[in-house]
């Protein structure tokens, strides 16, 4: 009922080959510390805001260096390796923001394409339009591992509680939130969103993040975390640089949280009615 999980914090650059080497070093460190499940951040392969630069290093899934390296690491170390996400070239000219989970034999267990696109306009002129480049996913996934029922999300997905609730109701015990949060949004919301998703669903949350100032000039928030079903932070990292977080995951804590506060079981269907009121100075009928 227990296992060691790791969240790998990175500061990926624009070169996928270098990033793959950094990932391999950190995954090996996590495995040496006893982790049997290791998660890397969103965009492990390249953090590159220049579209032409990103397309120049893009490969399809079969030829992607991050995918190949992760599969080899999983088999070599006999562990589960979860690439939080990396950019994958698609046939229609779009890109998938895609996560991969490999089993201890190196075989692919699941893919997950980020569902919710980060199309936002922030303060100080910061603006992002993921939908202009990436093709959104449309399918949530739960994978039954020997030690837990694992659910998937990526970064901006954390702001959509219905995705987490659907997976919790379907039996997910651990939710994954690999991310590359901006510093601005991370400072405001990162920890509270992760802890809220854990608490409201009574599940573990493992969130490996990008951290620091990247080669392309972007700055990400970091603070990778592993959180238990009661909202307790079991492990956390700082806001810059690499880190390997390790936490002991006791799946019995999921049932304990659900027994204490059975909100999944107590949820009820309801209708919504909008009540129109008279305009100011008007007379009610």
């Amino acid at each position: 009922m227990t296992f060691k999980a790791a969240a790998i914090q990175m500061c990926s650059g624009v070169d996928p080959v270098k990033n793959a080497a950094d990932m391999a070093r950190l995954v090996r460190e996590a495995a040496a510390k006893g982790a049997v499940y290791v998660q890397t951040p969103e965009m492990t392969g390249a953090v590159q805001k220049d579209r032409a630069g990103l397309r120049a290093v893009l490969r399809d899934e079969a030829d992607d260096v991050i995918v190949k390296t992760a599969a080899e690491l999983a088999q070599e170390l006999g562990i589960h390796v979860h690439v939080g996400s990396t950019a994958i070239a698609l046939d229609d000219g779009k890109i998938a923001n895609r996560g991969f989970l490999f089993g201890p034999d190196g075989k692919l267990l699941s893919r997950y394409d980020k569902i919710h696109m980060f199309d936002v306009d922030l303060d100080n002129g910061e603006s992002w339009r993921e939908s202009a480049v990436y093709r959104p996913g449309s399918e949530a996934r739960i994978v039954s591992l020997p030690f837990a029922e694992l659910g998937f999300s990526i970064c901006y997905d954390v702001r959509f509680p219905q995705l987490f609730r659907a997976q919790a109701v379907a039996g997910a015990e651990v939710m994954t939130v690999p991310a590359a949060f901006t510093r601005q949004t991370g400072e405001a919301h990162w920890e509270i969103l992760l802890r809220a998703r854990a608490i409201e669903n009574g599940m573990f949350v493992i969130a490996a993040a990008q951290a620091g100032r990247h080669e392309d000039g972007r700055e990400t928030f970091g603070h990778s975390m592993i959180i238990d079903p009661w909202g307790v932070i079991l492990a956390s990292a700082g806001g810059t640089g690499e880190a390997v977080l390790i936490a002991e995951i006791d799946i019995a804590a999921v049932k304990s949280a659900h027994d204490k506060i059975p909100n999944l079981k107590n949820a009820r269907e309801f209708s919504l009615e909008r009540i129109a009121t008279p305009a100011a100075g008007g007379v009610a009928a």
Side-chain angles (χ1 to χ4, degrees), residues 197-268:
R197 297 297 88 85
I199 293 165
E200 67 197 8
N201 294 298
M203 57 169 55
F204 286 91
V205 168
I206 302 175
Q210 296 282 355
R213 187 167 294 280
H214 300 261
E215 283 183 275
D216 71 342
R218 184 182 324 193
E219 193 171 7
T220 51
F221 183 64
H223 296 87
S224 301
M225 292 186 184
I226 302 176
I227 302 168
D228 82 0
W230 204 246
V232 175
I233 299 173
L234 302 178
S236 63
T240 59
E242 297 176 345
V244 176
L245 301 185
I246 303 286
E248 190 83 22
I249 305 296
D250 183 358
I251 291 300
V254 175
K255 183 179 185 304
S256 176
H258 291 172
D259 287 345
K260 291 172 185 174
I261 303 181
N263 60 318
L264 300 183
K265 184 171 63 177
N266 292 346
R268 291 176 52 82

Side-chain angles (χ1 to χ4, degrees), residues 72-258:
E72 291 167 359
L73 285 167
Q75 184 173 31
E76 171 195 335
L77 301 169
I79 62 173
H80 290 81
V81 175
H82 177 191
V83 176
S85 88
T86 198
I88 297 293
L90 301 176
D91 292 339
D92 62 1
K94 287 275 193 174
I95 303 170
N97 188 344
R98 180 170 293 170
F100 298 87
L101 178 66
F102 296 94
D105 58 1
K107 292 182 179 178
L108 181 65
L109 299 178
S110 180
R111 301 172 184 85
Y112 171 72
D113 287 358
K114 184 177 182 179
I115 293 174
H116 300 97
M117 298 290 94
F118 191 53
D119 290 359
V120 302
D121 297 299
L122 304 174
D123 294 338
N124 302 321
E126 190 174 357
S127 181
W128 299 93
R129 289 292 180 273
E130 279 191 338
S131 63
V133 179
Y134 295 94
R135 187 177 75 189
S138 59
E139 186 176 81
R141 292 271 173 91
I142 297 175
V143 176
S144 296
L145 300 182
F147 41 77
E149 298 293 311
L150 192 76
F152 294 83
S153 75
I154 296 173
C155 200
Y156 190 49
D157 284 335
V158 76
R159 294 185 183 273
F160 298 84
Q162 64 272 28
L163 175 63
F164 288 69
R165 177 51 56 93
Q167 293 182 74
V169 169
E173 299 164 320
V174 178
M175 278 297 295
T176 61
V177 192
F181 250 61
T182 69
R183 175 162 294 280
Q184 186 176 171
T185 57
E187 288 174 347
H189 301 144
W190 172 248
E191 179 181 327
I192 196 167
L193 284 169
L194 293 175
R195 295 182 72 192
R197 297 297 88 85
I199 293 165
E200 67 197 8
N201 294 298
M203 57 169 55
F204 286 91
V205 168
I206 302 175
Q210 296 282 355
R213 187 167 294 280
H214 300 261
E215 283 183 275
D216 71 342
R218 184 182 324 193
E219 193 171 7
T220 51
F221 183 64
H223 296 87
S224 301
M225 292 186 184
I226 302 176
I227 302 168
D228 82 0
W230 204 246
V232 175
I233 299 173
L234 302 178
S236 63
T240 59
E242 297 176 345
V244 176
L245 301 185
I246 303 286
E248 190 83 22
I249 305 296
D250 183 358
I251 291 300
V254 175
K255 183 179 185 304
S256 176
H258 291 172

